[in-house]
């Protein structure tokens, strides 16, 4: 398992372009397009030296997980104009505007396949795309992947268990507070190479009913994950979806998250697994 950040986007582009044509990512590479919660808006960039985009992921260059307002800003600012050219499938966890942006879905390649619940599909059914329903706790073939949806502790939000063609497993657990019992029972059936957990509320106390995790809640989840043997031998846990108001700067956030046994996500983080 390797973590990487492309400080020089041109070097990153040249290496992957030369090897893979217009694909920026190899197989079993996960790119974090954003790591921030909804309160990271473009206004924050006006007076902050450090900026997190809203959370989204790109797996293997062809599977986009959430499509919020900042995904094209990531590509533009990093000199990667063709980053989404090979996207064929998109998972949408829920309809909140930091995770679901119709204008950006319209910019993606035509005839993509979107996995989401019906209320989201109704908003995009006029577009040239296909829709696959994702019933809870049911493994669904989704392009080269198998996706099982579970219910987050965040209204009607879906979290996703994603299995690659060679059997690697990722859990996408944003936005969610402490998992409901049916979700825990489903998760316990799997061993994950990567688990991505919500850590929106930082050190704030008494956030149990907010639909997001604090650092203490993530620490408790990590203990239960390890006690139940839910990671592969080299599996890692990543904390993400950090609130601008509740979490400190990147160095302090990295330290806080490391102390509870996880890796702190940042925009541009790439995991080879």
């Amino acid at each position: 398992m390797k973590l990487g950040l492309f400080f020089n986007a041109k070097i990153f582009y040249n290496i992957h372009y030369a090897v893979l044509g217009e694909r920026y990512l190899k197989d079993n590479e996960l790119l974090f397009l954003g790591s921030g919660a909804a309160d990271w808006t473009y206004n924050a960039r006006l007076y902050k030296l450090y900026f997190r985009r809203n959370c989204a992921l790109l797996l293997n260059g062809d599977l986009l997980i959430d499509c919020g307002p900042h995904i094209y800003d990531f590509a533009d600012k990093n000199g990667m104009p063709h980053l989404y050219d090979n996207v064929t499938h998109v998972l949408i966890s829920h309809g909140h505007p930091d995770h679901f942006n119709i204008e950006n879905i319209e910019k993606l390649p035509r005839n993509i396949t979107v996995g989401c619940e019906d209320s989201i599909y109704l908003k995009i059914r006029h577009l040239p795309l296909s829709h696959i329903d994702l019933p809870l706790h049911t493994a669904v073939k989704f392009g080269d992947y198998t996706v099982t949806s579970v219910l987050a502790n965040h209204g009607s939000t879906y979290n996703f268990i994603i299995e690659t063609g060679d059997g690697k497993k990722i859990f996408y657990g944003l936005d969610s507070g402490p998992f409901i019992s049916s979700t825990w029972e489903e998760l316990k059936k799997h061993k994950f190479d990567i688990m991505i957990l919500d850590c929106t509320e930082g050190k704030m106390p008494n956030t149990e009913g907010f639909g997001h995790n604090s650092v203490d809640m993530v620490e408790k989840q990590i203990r239960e994950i390890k006690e139940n043997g839910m990671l592969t031998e080299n599996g890692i846990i990543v904390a993400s979806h950090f609130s601008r108001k509740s979490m400190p700067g990147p160095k302090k956030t990295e330290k806080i998250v490391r102390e509870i046994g996880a890796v702190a996500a940042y925009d541009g983080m790439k995991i080879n697994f």
Side-chain angles (χ1 to χ4, degrees), residues 21-243:
E22 292 193 0
R23 285 186 60 193
Y24 289 89
L25 298 178
K26 299 177 182 178
D27 290 338
N28 292 341
E29 288 191 340
L30 184 66
L31 177 62
F32 286 72
L33 306 170
S35 55
D39 57 355
W40 286 96
T41 65
Y42 288 128
N43 289 336
R45 191 181 259 156
L46 298 177
Y47 59 92
K48 290 281 185 179
L49 294 176
Y50 185 77
F51 180 73
R52 291 185 188 270
R53 297 169 183 86
N54 294 158
C55 286
L57 299 171
L58 185 62
L59 176 59
N60 300 336
D62 60 10
L63 175 59
L64 180 64
I65 307 167
D66 276 341
C67 183
H70 298 159
I71 65 166
Y72 279 95
D73 179 79
F74 178 92
D76 293 344
K77 292 295 189 294
N78 287 288
M80 305 169 78
H82 301 289
L83 182 60
Y84 307 114
D85 283 4
N86 291 289
V87 170
T88 59
H89 288 72
V90 181
L91 290 169
I92 304 294
S93 62
H94 62 304
H96 289 174
D98 55 323
H99 294 262
F100 174 60
N101 182 275
I102 296 176
E103 289 77 14
N104 281 342
I105 291 177
E106 290 176 332
K107 294 178 185 178
L108 293 172
R110 294 174 65 87
N111 301 316
I112 58 172
T113 299
V114 177
C116 61
E117 50 105 359
D118 288 343
S119 66
I120 294 174
Y121 176 61
L122 289 174
K123 299 176 182 179
I124 55 174
R125 63 181 179 179
H126 63 285
L127 300 176
L129 52 79
S130 301
H131 173 239
I132 291 182
D133 191 28
L134 300 172
L136 293 170
H137 306 286
T138 303
V140 175
K141 186 69 175 172
F142 196 68
D144 294 332
Y145 307 92
T146 300
V147 175
T148 302
S149 298
V150 293
L151 192 62
N153 188 350
H154 189 88
S156 60
T157 299
Y158 282 9
N159 288 162
F160 301 115
I161 298 166
I162 303 164
E163 183 174 357
T164 65
D166 60 354
K168 299 293 181 68
K169 290 186 179 181
I170 299 168
F171 174 63
Y172 180 76
L174 315 176
D175 292 359
S176 185
F179 298 127
I180 62 175
S181 58
S182 61
T183 294
W184 267 120
E185 291 308 309
E186 181 64 46
L187 293 177
K188 289 175 185 177
K189 299 175 185 177
H190 304 268
K191 284 187 177 291
F192 294 96
D193 297 276
I194 304 170
M195 297 189 76
I196 303 165
L197 304 180
D198 183 286
C199 191
T200 303
E201 299 296 348
K203 289 287 190 179
M204 291 181 63
N206 302 319
T207 60
E208 193 79 28
F210 287 3
H212 290 290
N213 282 331
S214 66
V215 172
D216 290 344
M217 293 176 192
V218 176
E219 184 175 23
K220 181 179 178 181
Q221 286 180 330
I222 291 172
R223 285 199 303 269
E224 294 187 53
I225 287 166
K226 292 182 176 180
E227 288 170 1
N228 286 281
M230 295 161 60
L231 293 173
T232 60
E233 182 179 356
N234 295 314
I236 64 170
I237 296 173
V238 179
S240 189
H241 204 270
F242 301 117
S243 168

Side-chain angles (χ1 to χ4, degrees), residues 50 52 248-258:
Y50 185 77
R52 291 185 188 270
K251 290 185 178 180
K252 289 183 178 180
T253 293
E254 191 278 330
K255 181 177 183 294
I256 290 169
V257 171
R258 186 178 67 247

